[in-house]
Amino acid sequence: MKYGYARVSTREQDEARQVEALRKAGAQEIIIEKASGKNFIDRAEWQRLMAKTVVDDVIVVKSLDRLGRNNEEIKKTFELLAKKQVYLEFIDNEILNTKAQ
């Protein structure tokens, strides 16, 4: 399954551009989060996504900053997903993609 993950920091912000980019990238299901990027713990939608992903799933994100601002947590997330054999795909930063093309 190919999931899209769109995050904006506040309820007032619009995620439409991210959602459009995720659809163009082939996301079959898009998860939208309206929460701060400071940590992953406070993000219910991200936690729900983590619980449903299985081996060979792909999570598409527009850019690395949509995952968050905390570099240590982002690193741990990369490691967790690698252990789960779930891949990350970045629309704006293809060099960061974790699945070989």
Side-chain angles (χ1 to χ4, degrees), residues 11 15 18 58 60 71-72:
R11 296 211 174 271
E15 70 280 350
Q18 288 181 62
V58 176
V60 184
N71 290 336
E72 185 61 30

Side-chain angles (χ1 to χ4, degrees), residues 8-24:
V8 292
S9 297
T10 68
R11 296 211 174 271
E12 294 78 29
Q13 290 177 314
D14 185 7
E15 70 280 350
R17 288 187 314 175
Q18 288 181 62
V19 170
E20 181 180 337
L22 295 170
R23 282 194 183 114
K24 286 182 181 177

Side-chain angles (χ1 to χ4, degrees), residues 43-89:
R43 294 197 236 155
E45 294 303 313
W46 177 261
Q47 298 302 327
R48 186 173 68 86
L49 177 58
M50 290 298 93
K52 71 191 312 186
T53 55
V54 297
V55 171
D56 288 332
D57 280 349
V58 176
I59 299 172
V60 184
V61 183
K62 180 127 173 43
S63 59
L64 183 61
D65 68 335
R66 297 300 84 206
L67 279 186
R69 296 185 315 245
N70 182 322
N71 290 336
E72 185 61 30
E73 282 192 344
I74 291 172
K75 179 180 177 239
K76 287 179 183 176
T77 298
F78 268 79
E79 292 167 352
L80 170 70
L81 292 173
K83 285 180 187 173
K84 287 183 74 168
Q85 296 178 15
V86 171
Y87 303 99
L88 282 167
E89 181 179 308

Side-chain angles (χ1 to χ4, degrees), residues 5-8 31-35 42-47:
Y5 179 73
R7 184 188 63 78
V8 292
I31 308 300
I32 299 169
E33 186 97 68
K34 294 195 177 199
D42 296 334
R43 294 197 236 155
E45 294 303 313
W46 177 261
Q47 298 302 327

